[in-house]
Amino acid sequence: MRLLHTSDWHLGQTLHNYERGYEHQRFLDWLLGTLVAERVDVLLVAGDVFDNANPSAASQKQLYVFLQQARARLPALQLIIVAGNHDSAGRLEAPGPLLAAHGTHVIGHLLRGDDGQIDLERLLLPLTGSDGQVRAWCLAVPFLRPGDVPKLPAGDTQDAYLGGIALLYRQLTDLALARRQPGQAILAMGHCHMVGGEMSNDSERRIVIGGTEMLPSGIFDTSITYAALGHLHKAQAVGGQEHIRYCGSPIPLSFAEVNYRHQVLCLDIDGETLQAVRAIEVPRAVPLLRVPATPAPIAEVLAQLAALDVPGAPAEAQPFLEVRVRLDSPEPGLRTRIETALDGKPVRLAKIETSSAARSSAPENMTLDQLGQLQPDDIFRRLYLQKYAREAPPELLSALAELLLPGA
């Protein structure tokens, strides 16, 4: 059996107010060709199909046209989609009965019976190989909120949320073990943040305080052949375990991902064994440029922009540009000067990032080694300066820095 693991499409996402429908369509066209070329049996989409809970009509059409085309090209293809934290579970599931008739199963949220118990059967899906025989069982778990998870037994001292998620996977795994025949694999899906998972900076758009929402990899039983995860946008194996993976987003969702190669994961499973995991790089339809590579003074930045040589392209395919300027004092008319330097160049100015020496020495911009060399008082003072710098003029900020951090 061959499967393709994808996640975090974020259809409808904008990059600093620029629409990205062209890039998403290029990805979906490429994905369709890849499914056919690789003769994939099952496509897994591990959450965040859309970028927000109220996607545009154009974004929804992109999804449903793709699903129709995929089944037309590969009549035996199964598609399993679970909701992410950006998706509206109800909206995603609304056409579920119609989609299920054409091989697409959508799990947006958990359902409970009259007794209050979660309908586990609905979350356990049989997966068939090219011969039509059941080759695996999938634990199709969407993004879980605290109210979704089962309650822990009385006296259990675990965190109610994390323990509830672990209990749900345990219950589903037990059901799968009871249901499967010898030689059938068990796969798990999830849209969550695992302990040790590496975020791709600002593109994650969420902060986990103190790790209280991070899940340990131990929630996946040893009988699970592969765990297909979504939520973190950087492809990675969790804790060095090759069978527990994030595939990452298929297109860059912020300038933090300029140098990152986006991918989908192709899995080959033989019986209960994961034979191979192969990354397939997704072609980038629109380049992202950062000029300069590291923040520089305005004169140097303007010189680099003037020398920027970018091939011509249709408007929807022109590169997105982030300009990075280091300022020692306020610079009136900064945007106008940058736009003048870019006049006639086929790029889209998406973001002007400004920084200063004071801000670059803020704790969150330091490496762990640099932080380790600071005393607790220094960290407090730098945080204070960073907060004050948002409103203080440079000359006053400089005096404060010398007062609080003499010689820094």
Side-chain angles (χ1 to χ4, degrees):
M1 168 181 269
R2 175 164 288 178
L3 305 92
L4 210 63
H5 169 198
T6 75
S7 74
D8 296 274
W9 293 3
H10 286 273
L11 300 180
Q13 192 240 9
T14 60
L15 185 66
H16 300 287
N17 296 319
Y18 282 105
E19 297 290 338
R20 308 191 75 186
Y22 170 77
E23 294 166 89
H24 281 119
Q25 191 57 55
R26 287 285 298 273
F27 160 66
L28 293 174
D29 292 344
W30 172 87
L31 180 59
L32 180 61
T34 301
L35 290 169
V36 174
E38 295 288 345
R39 301 176 67 181
V40 172
D41 299 305
V42 182
L43 173 64
L44 305 175
V45 186
D48 281 355
V49 179
F50 297 113
D51 190 60
N52 60 68
N54 188 26
S56 67
S59 298
Q60 294 180 73
K61 183 177 180 180
Q62 276 189 318
L63 172 64
Y64 298 127
V65 168
F66 166 78
L67 296 178
Q68 183 274 327
Q69 291 176 335
R71 282 287 290 185
R73 297 284 298 275
L74 291 167
L77 178 70
Q78 286 181 278
L79 299 99
I80 313 297
I81 301 173
V82 299
N85 58 302
H86 280 254
D87 297 312
S88 163
R91 187 182 296 276
L92 201 60
E93 275 195 5
L98 180 61
L99 294 176
H102 297 278
T104 298
H105 298 277
V106 182
I107 304 295
H109 58 274
L110 277 55
L111 295 181
R112 283 181 162 82
D114 294 337
D115 59 358
Q117 297 300 308
I118 294 172
D119 183 356
L120 298 177
E121 296 280 354
R122 181 172 173 270
L123 306 178
L124 182 63
L125 303 175
L127 304 179
T128 56
S130 56
D131 58 1
Q133 299 299 309
V134 175
R135 297 297 178 189
W137 294 86
C138 179
L139 318 182
V141 179
F143 177 74
L144 299 171
R145 293 173 172 82
D148 298 326
V149 302
K151 292 183 179 180
L152 299 175
D156 195 315
T157 58
Q158 295 182 79
D159 177 88
Y161 178 58
L162 301 185
I165 293 176
L167 176 58
L168 177 62
Y169 275 108
R170 178 71 261 167
Q171 292 172 340
L172 283 170
T173 302
D174 288 344
L175 182 61
L177 288 169
R179 189 69 48 80
R180 76 167 178 181
Q181 298 299 313
Q184 295 176 348
I186 299 177
L187 308 175
M189 294 181 71
H191 192 87
C192 51
H193 190 160
M194 303 297 296
V195 171
E198 185 180 350
M199 295 184 290
S200 54
N201 298 322
D202 60 315
S203 69
E204 305 302 335
R205 289 177 294 176
R206 69 192 297 267
I207 298 174
V208 178
I209 305 296
T212 57
E213 295 182 11
M214 294 185 188
L215 303 174
S217 59
I219 66 170
F220 299 117
D221 187 78
T222 55
S223 62
I224 291 177
T225 301
Y226 183 85
L229 304 177
H231 190 45
L232 301 187
H233 299 158
K234 184 175 183 179
Q236 57 195 287
V238 176
Q241 301 182 75
E242 295 301 312
H243 72 295
I244 304 177
R245 285 185 175 249
Y246 290 98
C247 60
S249 59
I251 70 171
L253 299 175
S254 83
F255 283 96
E257 300 172 19
V258 166
N259 297 317
Y260 176 59
R261 294 185 175 182
H262 295 262
Q263 59 190 239
V264 297
L265 296 174
C266 186
L267 324 172
D268 287 323
I269 293 176
D270 183 12
E272 300 173 26
T273 304
L274 178 63
Q275 280 194 324
V277 180
R278 176 165 46 96
I280 305 176
E281 186 175 340
V282 180
R284 186 167 292 186
V286 174
L288 268 67
L289 306 177
R290 270 180 157 174
V291 178
T294 57
I298 182 61
E300 182 179 335
V301 171
L302 293 175
Q304 289 196 34
L305 293 178
L308 188 63
D309 185 15
V310 180
E316 68 273 12
Q318 290 180 356
F320 294 114
L321 173 65
E322 178 188 69
V323 178
R324 314 177 80 188
V325 185
R326 180 175 296 285
L327 297 175
D328 295 322
S329 62
E331 185 67 40
L334 177 64
R335 185 174 189 90
T336 299
R337 296 180 69 183
I338 289 173
E339 289 175 340
T340 300
L342 292 171
D343 188 37
K345 297 183 184 295
V347 297
R348 287 176 282 183
L349 178 59
K351 181 181 180 183
I352 299 174
E353 181 190 73
T354 61
S355 60
S356 66
R359 282 159 57 187
S360 65
S361 63
E364 72 275 17
N365 295 323
M366 292 183 173
T367 66
L368 288 175
D369 287 341
Q370 289 172 324
L371 278 172
Q373 296 171 12
L374 293 177
Q375 297 299 316
D377 284 351
D378 288 338
I379 297 175
F380 171 77
R381 289 167 178 167
R382 289 176 189 271
L383 284 169
Y384 178 85
L385 280 173
Q386 181 206 3
K387 180 177 184 296
Y388 197 82
R390 296 170 186 164
E391 301 174 358
E395 60 274 11
L396 181 54
L397 181 61
S398 177
L400 275 172
E402 182 61 29
L403 176 66
L404 295 175
L405 293 167

